[in-house]
Amino acid sequence: MARDGAVYACQVCGAVQSKWAGQCPACNAWNSLVEEAHSAPPGAMAPVKAGRPPRGGGLAFETLEQITPAAPRIATGVAEFDRVCGGGVVPGSAILLGGDPGVGKSTLLLQVVASAALRGASCAYISGEEAIEQVRGRAHRMGLALAPVKLAAETSLRAIVDGLKRDAFDLVVIDSIQTMWSDAHEAGPGSVTQVRAAAGELVRLAKRRGVAVILVGHVTKDGAIAGPRVVEHMVDAVLSFEGERGYPFRILRGAKNRFGATDEIGVFEMGDSGLREVSNPSALFLDTSGERAAGAAVFAGIEGSRPVLVEFQALVAPSAYGTPRRAVVGWDSGRLAMVLAVLEARCGLNFGDRDVYLNVAGGLRITEPAADLAAAAALASSALDQALPQDCVVFGEISLSGDVRAVSRMEGRLKEAAKLGFRRALAPLGAESAGLATAGVQRLGDAVRRIADGAWPEA
Ligand code: TYD
Ligand code: MG
């Protein structure tokens, strides 16, 4: 039974319970409830006494018509980072940067503050995870030793807030929010209570003093930012930093942004001296040398405002087991099942006794439905052992009925492909652009027949 004044907070989802239980009733996580001292839940308001008007003359209403000037921005000079933020960081805003441990969050943010500081912004980097010498050593290796960044190693929230009040900073990095602790709460560092309290305090400080604050948050294996899931709604922007194990490429994505779009990606390459910005990702994800093997199809995709070409690679092989394997990297496994079902039901291909592997080259994760036709072309090409032409790109959405549907920005996709030397396209009917010969298809069956017969328009 709950003792007086005690509540139990789930360390995974943040839900608060009045009784302890072995399993969180909200998210079903086991052994995640931890006792915490009771405090008013966020958003709880003191009851208003009837008959007394609010102090200060009440609300001042404004009109929708008024034009507010666009939020000013601090461009950090790391262009891939600035673009994902919507053109730089907004003073007084709070950003959460999430990612797996070791993906390169500290490296990225050290480069961001160093670059911003060299451009005249007043920047601080506060590490709760590494000693000053470690951060400094890394900065030296990355050639950033001369950037006028103020460095501190601290985990006490009180010390940090006091320190930040003394100087007028433009941009502050807190690495990481899970290591911060407030002496106003009893719970241990990294607990939901501490993370919530620390983030709340830092976000308030950002707003009050007009400082842009970037909080680093480690992600747990199920993809949720540990503890900091409760932080996501407090901050103005949530960015995630991702990378496939074994690949040097890192992708920065926006998951929420009050000051910009969330579909932009930033592409980096991890090297010996830190992260290198990749301004032309197509060249990176694409191998343009040599023949394209059977099972490969180049997808002309759009990530945010940029076209990105990337290769889908499929392998369809006889299965040695009763239940054939389906393995996919970089694409949705549900979508793969759907495309396989349509290929079987509408195009006469059989995958029932065959293993299917599908891989997006370079470690990029594709979410656009426009990739359906590229995946289907790679699968059909492998199943039929017929390579697509070396100079052909593919895009289009597939419906359950086997129709190939038009997708957004078809001309932009074709133009990017032409720029990179492609001369042919397998695409929905109506997709056209100068310089490319398009095989327009209305049904998935038409596309499969073209691959089987090797019937392509003259380039
Ligand atoms: P780090 O920024 O510490 O990751 P995070 O803060 O997300 O936990 O990055 C650590 C990894 O990056 C580590 O495995 C080493 C690698 N790395 C390089 O390959 N080159 C470099 O120049 C740096 C600084 C790190
Ligand atoms: Mg780190």
Side-chain angles (χ1 to χ4, degrees):
M1 276 308 289
R3 280 190 280 117
D4 249 8
V7 293
Y8 298 86
C10 173
Q11 304 299 297
V12 175
C13 70
V16 176
Q17 312 293 339
S18 58
K19 272 191 237 156
W20 188 86
Q23 185 180 24
C24 170
C27 70
N28 298 329
W30 288 95
N31 291 328
S32 61
L33 294 191
V34 170
E35 182 180 334
E36 293 180 352
H38 183 78
S39 57
M45 279 188 266
V48 178
K49 288 209 182 79
R52 203 156 100 218
R55 264 190 294 163
L59 281 175
F61 286 103
E62 304 208 7
T63 65
L64 281 174
E65 194 191 1
Q66 260 165 347
I67 293 172
T68 324
R73 307 253 176 189
I74 306 167
T76 65
V78 178
E80 294 291 298
F81 178 85
D82 288 344
R83 205 191 35 254
V84 175
C85 291
V89 291
V90 176
S93 74
I95 297 172
L96 175 68
L97 175 72
D100 288 322
V103 72
K105 300 179 295 298
S106 304
T107 308
L108 174 67
L109 292 179
L110 193 57
Q111 278 178 253
V112 164
V113 283
S115 169
L118 285 169
R119 299 171 123 234
S122 161
C123 300
Y125 184 96
I126 299 168
S127 178
E129 309 215 318
E130 291 165 303
I132 295 272
E133 291 74 36
Q134 274 175 296
V135 180
R136 204 183 274 140
R138 177 182 302 189
H140 278 255
R141 263 204 319 287
M142 300 193 317
L144 304 173
L146 294 180
V149 175
K150 293 209 168 146
L151 216 55
E154 184 58 72
T155 56
S156 157
L157 191 62
R158 188 188 294 266
I160 291 171
V161 170
D162 285 348
L164 293 180
K165 279 179 180 161
R166 246 178 286 128
D167 277 304
F169 285 110
D170 297 314
L171 178 62
V172 174
V173 168
I174 306 286
D175 187 2
S176 66
I177 190 67
Q178 278 110 336
T179 52
M180 299 299 142
W181 64 277
S182 152
D183 51 16
H185 298 269
E186 271 174 33
S191 65
V192 169
T193 315
Q194 285 290 359
V195 167
R196 193 164 42 204
E201 183 109 3
L202 290 163
V203 169
R204 270 194 301 281
L205 183 97
K207 303 264 175 282
R208 226 178 16 242
R209 304 187 63 90
V211 192
V213 173
I214 306 180
L215 308 173
V216 172
H218 291 296
V219 166
T220 50
K221 56 187 178 312
D222 62 2
I225 295 180
R229 197 188 278 183
V230 294
V231 176
E232 285 185 9
H233 69 271
M234 296 181 187
V235 295
D236 301 297
V238 178
L239 311 180
S240 69
F241 203 39
E242 306 163 358
E244 284 293 334
R245 206 164 282 283
Y247 289 101
F249 316 123
R250 301 284 181 267
I251 314 278
L252 183 68
R253 257 176 222 282
K256 156 183 170 180
N257 193 348
R258 285 192 187 135
F259 303 109
T262 53
D263 54 356
E264 288 289 357
I265 62 166
V267 184
F268 299 86
E269 189 178 358
M270 181 67 93
D272 292 336
S273 52
L275 291 155
R276 187 178 68 83
E277 293 185 63
V278 177
S279 50
N280 182 1
S282 299
L284 183 78
F285 295 120
L286 217 53
D287 180 11
T288 45
S289 63
E291 283 291 296
R292 218 163 284 294
V298 176
F299 168 52
I302 300 275
E303 293 285 343
S305 58
R306 276 189 306 189
V308 174
L309 270 64
V310 60
E311 190 175 79
F312 273 69
Q313 300 162 344
L315 178 64
V316 179
S319 178
Y321 307 103
T323 313
R325 269 184 70 93
R326 266 80 181 113
V328 54
V329 177
W331 203 46
D332 180 47
S333 57
R335 207 79 193 168
L336 171 65
M338 189 277 269
V339 167
L340 287 175
V342 177
L343 282 170
E344 286 200 327
R346 314 279 175 199
C347 309
L349 292 176
N350 177 25
F351 298 96
D353 53 358
R354 303 209 259 177
D355 291 338
V356 173
Y357 302 90
L358 187 74
N359 186 12
V360 177
L364 197 64
R365 186 165 53 80
I366 300 290
T367 53
E368 267 194 292
D372 291 352
L373 189 60
L379 291 164
S381 161
S382 177
L384 299 164
D385 197 23
Q386 278 282 344
L388 270 77
Q390 160 81 7
D391 58 0
C392 182
V393 293
V394 187
F395 60 87
E397 186 176 344
I398 296 171
S399 71
L400 287 177
S401 60
D403 285 326
V404 175
R405 297 218 183 105
V407 296
S408 63
R409 301 181 50 190
M410 298 205 285
E411 202 182 345
R413 295 170 198 267
L414 293 173
K415 279 201 174 129
E416 171 79 0
K419 234 192 306 176
L420 288 163
F422 288 85
R423 291 287 160 265
R424 284 181 269 214
L426 179 62
L429 270 189
E432 265 167 46
S433 170
L436 260 106
T438 308
V441 287
Q442 194 163 20
R443 308 268 310 159
L444 182 56
D446 303 340
V448 172
R449 225 165 296 125
R450 274 186 187 274
I451 294 168
D453 301 342
W456 301 100
E458 275 309 308

